Short mmCIF file of all heavy atoms in Angstrom, two decimals:
data_model
loop_
_atom_site.label_atom_id
_atom_site.label_comp_id
_atom_site.label_asym_id
_atom_site.label_seq_id
_atom_site.Cartn_x
_atom_site.Cartn_y
_atom_site.Cartn_z
N ILE F 361 -16.01 5.03 31.60
CA ILE F 361 -17.09 4.10 31.93
C ILE F 361 -16.98 3.63 33.38
O ILE F 361 -17.94 3.11 33.94
CB ILE F 361 -17.09 2.88 30.98
CG1 ILE F 361 -18.45 2.17 31.01
CG2 ILE F 361 -15.95 1.91 31.31
CD1 ILE F 361 -18.67 1.17 29.92
N ARG F 362 -15.84 3.87 34.01
CA ARG F 362 -15.64 3.40 35.38
C ARG F 362 -16.34 4.26 36.42
O ARG F 362 -16.39 3.90 37.59
CB ARG F 362 -14.15 3.36 35.70
CG ARG F 362 -13.34 2.45 34.81
CD ARG F 362 -11.87 2.54 35.13
NE ARG F 362 -11.38 3.90 34.94
CZ ARG F 362 -10.23 4.35 35.42
NH1 ARG F 362 -9.47 3.55 36.13
NH2 ARG F 362 -9.85 5.59 35.20
N GLY F 363 -16.84 5.45 36.02
CA GLY F 363 -17.41 6.34 37.01
C GLY F 363 -18.59 7.12 36.49
O GLY F 363 -18.94 7.06 35.30
N ARG F 367 -20.93 4.50 34.76
CA ARG F 367 -20.69 3.29 35.56
C ARG F 367 -21.98 2.54 35.89
O ARG F 367 -21.95 1.35 36.24
CB ARG F 367 -19.96 3.66 36.86
CG ARG F 367 -19.44 2.43 37.61
CD ARG F 367 -18.51 2.82 38.73
NE ARG F 367 -19.20 3.53 39.79
CZ ARG F 367 -18.59 4.35 40.64
NH1 ARG F 367 -17.31 4.59 40.53
NH2 ARG F 367 -19.27 4.93 41.59
N LEU F 370 -22.18 -0.68 34.12
CA LEU F 370 -21.34 -1.74 34.68
C LEU F 370 -21.96 -2.27 35.98
O LEU F 370 -21.82 -3.46 36.30
CB LEU F 370 -19.93 -1.23 34.92
CG LEU F 370 -19.12 -0.82 33.68
CD1 LEU F 370 -17.68 -0.49 34.07
CD2 LEU F 370 -19.14 -1.92 32.62
N GLU F 371 -22.62 -1.39 36.73
CA GLU F 371 -23.31 -1.87 37.93
C GLU F 371 -24.44 -2.84 37.57
O GLU F 371 -24.64 -3.85 38.24
CB GLU F 371 -23.85 -0.67 38.72
CG GLU F 371 -22.75 0.18 39.35
CD GLU F 371 -23.28 1.43 40.02
OE1 GLU F 371 -24.53 1.60 40.07
OE2 GLU F 371 -22.47 2.23 40.51
N ILE F 379 -18.22 -9.30 35.74
CA ILE F 379 -17.06 -8.96 34.92
C ILE F 379 -15.95 -9.94 35.30
O ILE F 379 -15.60 -10.05 36.48
CB ILE F 379 -16.62 -7.51 35.17
CG1 ILE F 379 -17.74 -6.53 34.81
CG2 ILE F 379 -15.36 -7.19 34.36
CD1 ILE F 379 -17.48 -5.11 35.27
N SER F 384 -8.35 -1.94 33.02
CA SER F 384 -9.13 -0.79 33.48
C SER F 384 -8.72 0.53 32.82
O SER F 384 -9.56 1.41 32.63
CB SER F 384 -9.01 -0.65 35.00
OG SER F 384 -7.66 -0.41 35.38
N ILE F 421 -14.09 -8.45 40.30
CA ILE F 421 -13.91 -7.15 39.64
C ILE F 421 -15.16 -6.33 39.89
O ILE F 421 -16.27 -6.75 39.56
CB ILE F 421 -13.64 -7.30 38.13
CG1 ILE F 421 -12.35 -8.09 37.90
CG2 ILE F 421 -13.53 -5.93 37.47
CD1 ILE F 421 -12.06 -8.38 36.44
N TYR F 422 -14.97 -5.14 40.46
CA TYR F 422 -16.09 -4.28 40.81
C TYR F 422 -16.48 -3.40 39.61
O TYR F 422 -15.73 -3.27 38.63
CB TYR F 422 -15.73 -3.40 41.99
CG TYR F 422 -15.30 -4.17 43.22
CD1 TYR F 422 -14.19 -3.79 43.96
CD2 TYR F 422 -16.02 -5.29 43.63
CE1 TYR F 422 -13.79 -4.50 45.09
CE2 TYR F 422 -15.62 -6.01 44.76
CZ TYR F 422 -14.51 -5.60 45.48
OH TYR F 422 -14.13 -6.32 46.58
N PRO F 423 -17.64 -2.75 39.67
CA PRO F 423 -18.08 -1.92 38.54
C PRO F 423 -17.16 -0.75 38.20
O PRO F 423 -17.21 -0.25 37.08
CB PRO F 423 -19.46 -1.42 38.99
CG PRO F 423 -19.94 -2.46 39.94
CD PRO F 423 -18.73 -2.92 40.67
N ASP F 424 -16.32 -0.32 39.14
CA ASP F 424 -15.37 0.74 38.80
C ASP F 424 -14.06 0.17 38.26
O ASP F 424 -13.06 0.88 38.12
CB ASP F 424 -15.09 1.63 40.02
CG ASP F 424 -14.45 0.87 41.18
OD1 ASP F 424 -14.44 -0.39 41.16
OD2 ASP F 424 -13.97 1.52 42.13
N LEU F 425 -14.09 -1.14 37.96
CA LEU F 425 -12.94 -1.88 37.40
C LEU F 425 -11.74 -1.86 38.34
O LEU F 425 -10.59 -1.71 37.92
CB LEU F 425 -12.57 -1.34 36.00
CG LEU F 425 -13.71 -1.41 34.97
CD1 LEU F 425 -13.18 -1.02 33.59
CD2 LEU F 425 -14.35 -2.79 34.93
N THR F 426 -12.03 -1.99 39.62
CA THR F 426 -11.00 -2.29 40.61
C THR F 426 -11.34 -3.65 41.20
O THR F 426 -12.43 -4.20 40.97
CB THR F 426 -10.96 -1.24 41.74
OG1 THR F 426 -12.21 -1.26 42.45
CG2 THR F 426 -10.71 0.15 41.18
N GLY F 427 -10.41 -4.21 41.97
CA GLY F 427 -10.66 -5.51 42.57
C GLY F 427 -9.41 -6.02 43.25
O GLY F 427 -8.40 -5.31 43.35
N ARG F 431 -9.44 -5.10 48.47
CA ARG F 431 -9.90 -3.89 47.83
C ARG F 431 -11.33 -3.57 48.25
O ARG F 431 -12.11 -4.45 48.57
CB ARG F 431 -9.84 -4.01 46.31
CG ARG F 431 -8.43 -4.11 45.74
CD ARG F 431 -7.53 -2.97 46.19
NE ARG F 431 -8.06 -1.66 45.82
CZ ARG F 431 -7.78 -1.05 44.67
NH1 ARG F 431 -7.00 -1.62 43.79
NH2 ARG F 431 -8.27 0.15 44.43
N VAL F 432 -11.64 -2.29 48.22
CA VAL F 432 -12.93 -1.81 48.70
C VAL F 432 -13.81 -1.49 47.51
O VAL F 432 -13.40 -0.76 46.60
CB VAL F 432 -12.74 -0.55 49.58
CG1 VAL F 432 -14.08 -0.10 50.14
CG2 VAL F 432 -11.74 -0.83 50.69
N ASP F 433 -15.02 -2.01 47.52
CA ASP F 433 -15.96 -1.76 46.43
C ASP F 433 -16.71 -0.45 46.71
O ASP F 433 -17.81 -0.44 47.26
CB ASP F 433 -16.94 -2.93 46.30
CG ASP F 433 -17.89 -2.74 45.13
OD1 ASP F 433 -17.68 -1.81 44.34
OD2 ASP F 433 -18.85 -3.53 45.02
N VAL F 434 -16.11 0.66 46.28
CA VAL F 434 -16.71 1.97 46.56
C VAL F 434 -17.93 2.23 45.68
O VAL F 434 -18.64 3.22 45.88
CB VAL F 434 -15.69 3.11 46.37
CG1 VAL F 434 -14.57 3.01 47.40
CG2 VAL F 434 -15.13 3.12 44.96
N THR F 435 -18.18 1.36 44.70
CA THR F 435 -19.36 1.57 43.85
C THR F 435 -20.66 1.40 44.63
O THR F 435 -21.72 1.78 44.14
CB THR F 435 -19.36 0.60 42.66
OG1 THR F 435 -19.48 -0.74 43.13
CG2 THR F 435 -18.08 0.73 41.86
N ALA F 612 -10.96 7.49 43.99
CA ALA F 612 -11.64 6.19 43.88
C ALA F 612 -13.01 6.33 43.24
O ALA F 612 -13.44 5.46 42.49
CB ALA F 612 -11.77 5.56 45.27
N MET F 613 -13.70 7.42 43.51
CA MET F 613 -15.07 7.59 43.04
C MET F 613 -15.16 8.20 41.66
O MET F 613 -16.18 8.07 40.97
CB MET F 613 -15.86 8.48 44.02
CG MET F 613 -16.07 7.85 45.38
SD MET F 613 -17.05 6.33 45.30
CE MET F 613 -18.62 6.97 44.70
N GLY F 614 -14.12 8.91 41.23
CA GLY F 614 -14.18 9.61 39.96
C GLY F 614 -13.62 8.79 38.82
O GLY F 614 -13.19 7.65 38.97
#
Side-chain angles (χ1 to χ4, degrees):
I361 199 168
R362 300 176 300 164
R367 191 169 67 203
L370 296 187
E371 291 175 4
I379 300 169
S384 62
I421 298 176
Y422 303 135
D424 62 347
L425 302 187
T426 63
R431 294 306 302 270
V432 183
D433 183 9
V434 295
T435 65
M613 293 298 296

